[in-house]
Amino acid sequence: MKKFLTKALTLAVIFGISCASAFAKEYKDLPKNHWAYKQIQMLTDFDVVVGYPDGLYRPDQQVTRAEFSSIVVKAFDQANAPITNPVKFKDVSQKDWFYGVVQRAVMFDLLKGYPNGNFNPRGTVARGHIISTIVNALTTESISNQKAKDILENSYDDYDQLPDWLIIAAGKAEILGMVVKEPGEDNYINANRPATRAELAAFVVKMLEQAKLNPNEKLREAMRPRMGEGIVIDSDVDGYIATIPAGTVIPIMVLNKKITCKDSNVNDDFLSKLPKNLVTKEKYLLLVEGDCLNGKITDIKRGRLFVRNGSVNLQTHTITTDRTQTAQLLGDAVGEYRLEGFWKTLYLKVIKGHRIVIHEGDILNLKLQKPVKIDLTNGMILE
């Protein structure tokens, strides 16, 4: 991926393209086959989680409550939310780097302090506390303590080790499919074990998936879909999530200097961008003008005498959004000839074989191969 994007950016410079491109950070200790690779990369793209100066992510390292507060607050894009009614903790000072994120995490009912007046910012976070937090972020249906126990008993061998305060939250998390299990631990909830950085990333992604549909009351007030004007795209809106269906046709602007059926070749890079914002009928912003799409030329037919007319088939692979996220976006476009008067068009089509020329700035129609799911509050493409 990084090599592909680097090549695309190099071509952009050569072509004189003024289109911002961003690279997803790669961690030295996070192979692509790691069970939480996708979740960690997604949160990294949006600066929700960060690595260390040595280029490592340290997925198996434990998490402090201060770090946890920072991650959940940033996940909801509330790192700059005004702090109202700050809570005093004996072990949290206004001079501490984590003061603001701790206050916001408490303000949005995500975390709580302890009865002794401490927050314990440097203490580790148990998996049970994470489960409690991700459920606190939601508006959920009530369930009884007994129903929660029945659900957990049928799912986990260590259900009887859960503290009483966690049972209902854990039952809700299990119903919603939000409990993260490391490979080989399918039958254990491990509520008392300190969570790892990999587990936390996976938990947070599951939290966001549910909270965008049914956030708690305080988060609902704070989160607002991005609004804008632009080309209206039929899309399915569910809570704060919009889905552009497969088969939808969107306009794209070509950024290559020239693509022709005579001189271009299959597998040449194809670069484009959105010429205008894409919005829902409610004016919710889907994708932003200037978002860059990278792809390839997939097929070429050269116009030949008395044989056939030329054609150029193009395909996009990824999109880099205004939020510097690079995500998959698969679509197909076809370069077609322009009508140039009856006799000239007839001559070019039938006798000469029409030559396709696509210039920088031309608008093509891109047909999506797969649905595109977008978080309306921050523009994140959910894969």
Side-chain angles (χ1 to χ4, degrees):
M1 174 64 75
K2 190 171 184 180
K3 182 178 179 181
F4 172 78
L5 292 175
T6 302
K7 183 177 180 182
L9 181 60
T10 301
L11 287 170
V13 172
I14 294 173
F15 292 155
I17 298 168
S18 58
C19 188
S21 193
F23 309 126
K25 181 179 176 61
E26 297 286 344
Y27 298 108
K28 298 176 184 177
D29 58 345
L30 192 71
K32 292 186 177 180
N33 62 354
H34 188 281
W35 69 270
Y37 175 84
K38 184 176 180 180
Q39 294 93 326
I40 292 170
Q41 289 300 134
M42 178 183 291
L43 296 182
T44 298
D45 285 346
F46 277 74
D47 295 324
V48 174
V49 299
V50 295
Y52 292 89
D54 58 4
L56 302 179
Y57 181 77
R58 300 175 187 170
D60 297 324
Q61 182 169 294
Q62 296 174 1
V63 185
T64 68
R65 282 171 56 84
E67 292 170 332
F68 182 37
S69 299
S70 176
I71 289 170
V72 294
V73 167
K74 289 194 293 184
F76 287 112
D77 204 19
Q78 298 302 317
N80 296 314
I83 298 174
T84 59
N85 301 319
V87 179
K88 291 184 179 181
F89 294 108
K90 296 177 183 178
D91 52 358
V92 177
S93 166
Q94 292 189 23
K95 297 180 181 179
D96 293 325
W97 70 264
F98 48 77
Y99 174 82
V101 293
V102 167
Q103 291 294 338
R104 292 179 177 93
V106 173
M107 182 175 70
F108 288 113
D109 292 336
L110 300 173
L111 277 80
K112 297 179 180 179
Y114 292 93
N116 64 2
N118 290 331
F119 185 79
N120 192 21
R122 297 173 180 83
T124 58
V125 181
R127 283 172 50 87
H129 283 107
I130 292 182
I131 291 170
S132 175
T133 294
I134 64 176
V135 172
N136 287 343
L138 312 178
T139 296
T140 56
E141 294 184 8
S142 298
I143 63 172
S144 68
N145 196 70
Q146 186 58 51
K147 181 176 180 179
K149 284 184 177 180
D150 293 341
I151 292 170
L152 296 168
E153 182 177 0
N154 290 328
S155 303
Y156 301 103
D157 293 343
D158 59 346
Y159 74 95
D160 55 347
Q161 299 177 27
L162 269 66
D164 290 340
W165 60 265
L166 181 60
I167 290 174
I168 289 179
K172 290 180 178 180
E174 180 64 19
I175 291 172
L176 295 171
M178 298 173 68
V179 178
V180 170
K181 306 157 192 171
E182 285 207 21
E185 298 185 351
D186 290 347
N187 297 326
Y188 297 90
I189 197 166
N190 290 319
N192 297 315
R193 175 170 65 73
T196 65
R197 283 167 56 81
E199 288 176 317
L200 176 56
F203 269 119
V204 168
V205 169
K206 286 181 176 291
M207 175 185 71
L208 288 173
E209 290 173 352
Q210 293 294 329
K212 295 305 179 180
L213 301 175
N214 296 294
N216 71 32
E217 185 176 346
K218 291 183 178 179
L219 285 170
R220 187 182 299 276
E221 288 297 318
M223 296 189 303
R224 292 285 185 273
R226 302 195 303 173
M227 307 295 290
E229 297 290 336
I231 300 171
V232 176
I233 301 294
D234 287 335
S235 51
D236 302 320
V237 178
D238 186 1
Y240 294 124
I241 303 297
T243 302
I244 306 176
T248 299
V249 176
I250 63 175
I252 57 174
M253 179 183 290
V254 176
L255 295 179
N256 300 68
K257 286 295 183 182
K258 183 185 288 187
I259 298 173
T260 74
C261 65
K262 178 181 179 182
D263 301 318
S264 299
N265 298 294
V266 171
N267 289 326
D268 282 354
D269 289 280
F270 166 51
L271 302 174
S272 60
K273 69 178 182 180
L274 296 181
K276 292 185 179 180
N277 294 336
L278 304 184
V279 300
T280 69
K281 62 182 180 181
E282 299 88 357
K283 304 299 183 183
Y284 297 149
L285 195 57
L286 294 167
L287 298 171
V288 174
E289 178 180 347
D291 283 356
C292 294
L293 297 95
N294 299 308
K296 296 284 186 181
I297 296 175
T298 56
D299 188 41
I300 290 178
K301 292 181 180 179
R302 311 190 189 283
R304 296 177 183 176
L305 180 65
F306 296 116
V307 178
R308 64 187 179 193
N309 298 305
S311 66
V312 178
N313 294 341
L314 309 159
Q315 186 177 85
T316 60
H317 297 153
T318 59
I319 183 170
T320 301
T321 70
D322 68 310
R323 297 299 303 272
T324 70
Q325 179 195 17
T326 298
Q328 183 185 76
L329 191 146
L330 298 178
D332 297 301
V334 177
E336 300 177 334
Y337 60 84
R338 298 181 180 85
L339 295 177
E340 303 179 58
F342 177 78
W343 292 110
K344 188 172 183 179
T345 298
L346 182 65
Y347 167 71
L348 291 171
K349 287 180 65 176
V350 178
I351 300 178
K352 186 177 181 181
H354 202 289
R355 177 183 176 220
I356 304 301
V357 180
I358 304 170
H359 296 281
E360 180 181 5
D362 283 354
I363 303 296
L364 300 179
N365 289 324
L366 183 75
K367 186 175 182 179
L368 298 181
Q369 290 184 17
K370 295 184 176 181
V372 180
K373 186 179 294 186
I374 301 168
D375 181 339
L376 295 174
T377 67
N378 57 21
M380 178 188 288
I381 295 177
L382 306 175
E383 297 184 81

